[in-house]
Amino acid sequence: MNAPRTTARQAHNSDWLDHAIRAGLVAYGVVHLLVGWLALQLAFGEKEDSASNSGALHYLAQQPLGGFLVWMIAVGMLFLVVWRLLEFGFGYRDESDDKKRWRKRATSLGKAVIYGAIGWSAVQVATGSGGGGGTDSTTAKIMNLPGGQLMVGAIGLAIIGYGVSLVVRGWTEKFREHLDAQGQAGQDGSAYVLMGKVGYIAKGVAIAIVGGLFCYAAITHDAKKSGGLDQALQTVLEQPFGPVLLTAIAIGIAAYGVFCFARAKHLSR
């Protein structure tokens, strides 16, 4: 009975998992660089693809060797899902406070879902089976359920909360814990920390806007008011000084991608 559990614990502490995590973080960084590039194109009125994770994958698929690279991202996301699930099941054992331990494990589970969603999107793009629906159609289905309007509002508040947590993590530089000592030292370390700070804050702002769209959809009972990252960035673009603000967010999202590369090189977990 304990053999599978023991094997999973060993896997969680193994060197091969470190290599898998590094590969996954590189893939995650590539996705963010592409999203940042598409958002920058949107800011300058030259957008052809959706400035979202799915749009980034479609953009990558159109490049030379794009299909192969999209599959590599799918595999990388799978590695990150495995990592977070092992973390959920066996991580944070040195945390003395049970509430903190389970809160951290719940966060790991949530990240596994996010990575899984990106990985599934990559598989759909690679196999040509993507399309259909969209965020607003999914929201509409939820809205039609009993208490659906409240559920959509709750989802929006949860997304806003996650976005705010990223902003706080970036502002307080709590993300430093993801880098080993070498990754925080010297000029390179200072650059990594700067990339992380800018990246976490920009990504948090973008995600909070997505949550705001969900809340607005719940208040107006109009599923079409909700949307993903692409619609959130469109909303930014429509504001006063929108292109300037969107350019800053695009650079920030790309900076988060660079930080993912630094984290892969100087992994601390």
Side-chain angles (χ1 to χ4, degrees), residues 156-157 159-160 207-219 225:
L157 290 175
I159 295 173
I160 291 173
I207 288 175
I209 294 172
V210 173
L213 292 175
F214 272 84
C215 289
Y216 186 52
I219 293 171
K225 299 296 185 182

Side-chain angles (χ1 to χ4, degrees), residues 47-64:
K47 185 177 80 74
E48 295 181 359
D49 295 272
S50 171
S52 63
N53 293 331
S54 178
L57 293 169
H58 279 287
Y59 177 83
L60 181 60
Q62 297 164 10
Q63 310 309 310

